[in-house]
Amino acid sequence: MIAENVRIDEETLKSMELPVLPATAQKVLSLMADPDVSIEKIKRLIATDPGLTTKILKVANSAFYGSQRNIQNLTQAILMLGLNAVRNLVVATSMKNVYKRFGLAEKLLWEQLLGSALASNIISKHTRVSDPEDAFIGGLLHDIGKVVLNNEYPDAFAKVMEKVYNDGLPFSKAESEVFEIPQRRVGAIVVKKWGFPENLEMLLRYFDDPEVIGKERYVYNLVTIIKLADAMCQKFGMGWRNPGGDAVDFGNLPEALGLDEAGLKELYAKVEAVFSQGLDSF
């Protein structure tokens, strides 16, 4: 029997084994912290990892990025995508490496994170209230704390997911019945360790605190986009055992982003089309 309320205090968080990205991905993030970094320098670093190079070229040529021509090399890919998109793809294509195991539960979690990133990017492009690449990385990492808790406390995390799937509890409620510290506080520490901007750390740390988030309009827009993206993942079954379909309640999220019924239907079609293509490129 798993004891409820797993105790994780700040000291435990500091000593916890946080996920580490592959060496090339870490070096790319370090380089990208320099606003004056050159495309050539990024290209040379990525080129040292053939697997990563192949994935970036594959994604650059995918329908998601709407490439109108065959991207044949890294220089073309970086120029077409932009440095922020390349950074995001490096992280996205490295995400599987942060799991200590990769069974069904981990596969669903990975699909939900990547699905949220893709949907957030699409919603951002449609609503124009945030940078699409900020929305992508926010969607990709907003639940990264779940990966840490699953890595370190797999039995307790499984208990949370049982409450979600079997008892129909929202994740936040199920989580509070098992863990004393929410996964997003853990996630905020992860993105800080990985060297992401302070805005992303703030997004995770206060994701569920509307009073704080509401004071920063840009971060508020990102949070709203990601929450809508998560709902769309549930609607279409991306990272869920079964699609939620019309039973998924979007609440006032569409209205908060200025979406009317016609705009929401258009987004449904765009997101569903991307999800139907699968996640093989990543």
Side-chain angles (χ1 to χ4, degrees), residues 32-50:
M32 291 289 288
D34 178 4
D36 298 319
V37 67
S38 68
I39 289 176
E40 180 63 25
K41 199 168 186 179
I42 294 290
K43 185 199 79 172
R44 286 201 306 267
L45 175 56
I46 294 174
T48 63
D49 188 326

Side-chain angles (χ1 to χ4, degrees), residues 246-274:
D246 292 338
V248 176
D249 182 10
F250 288 2
N252 67 348
L253 294 172
E255 290 82 359
L257 293 170
L259 290 166
D260 57 17
E261 187 174 347
L264 190 57
K265 286 183 178 179
E266 186 178 344
L267 273 178
Y268 287 162
K270 290 179 180 179
V271 171
E272 187 174 23
V274 168

Side-chain angles (χ1 to χ4, degrees), residues 87-88 116-117 119-125 127-142 184 197-204 206-208 213-214 216-231 253 256-257:
R87 176 203 64 183
N88 292 349
S116 181
S120 293
N121 183 279
I122 293 169
I123 296 167
S124 178
K125 287 176 179 175
T127 59
R128 300 182 181 181
V129 297
S130 73
D131 184 300
E133 292 307 325
D134 287 350
F136 182 98
I137 201 67
L140 183 69
L141 297 178
H142 76 292
R184 289 203 174 97
E198 187 177 339
N199 260 5
L200 185 58
E201 181 189 352
M202 178 184 179
L203 183 146
L204 267 70
Y206 300 109
F207 194 93
D208 300 306
I213 289 296
E216 298 286 342
R217 186 68 193 184
Y218 188 74
V219 179
Y220 170 82
N221 288 341
L222 285 174
V223 168
T224 307
I225 286 170
I226 294 165
K227 286 182 177 180
L228 181 57
D230 280 348
L253 294 172
L257 293 170

Side-chain angles (χ1 to χ4, degrees), residues 117-189:
L118 296 171
S120 293
N121 183 279
I122 293 169
I123 296 167
S124 178
K125 287 176 179 175
H126 187 91
T127 59
R128 300 182 181 181
V129 297
S130 73
D131 184 300
E133 292 307 325
D134 287 350
F136 182 98
I137 201 67
L140 183 69
L141 297 178
H142 76 292
D143 277 343
I144 190 66
K146 290 181 180 179
V147 178
V148 179
L149 295 181
N150 183 50
N151 280 347
E152 299 301 313
Y153 305 97
D155 291 339
F157 190 79
K159 185 73 172 178
V160 174
M161 298 314 296
E162 283 177 18
K163 291 174 179 288
V164 171
Y165 283 115
N166 298 340
D167 301 338
L169 292 181
F171 182 88
S172 58
K173 171 66 175 172
E175 175 191 48
S176 68
E177 293 183 2
V178 177
F179 291 103
E180 288 191 350
I181 287 183
Q183 61 92 4
R184 289 203 174 97
R185 192 185 304 180
V186 180
I189 294 173

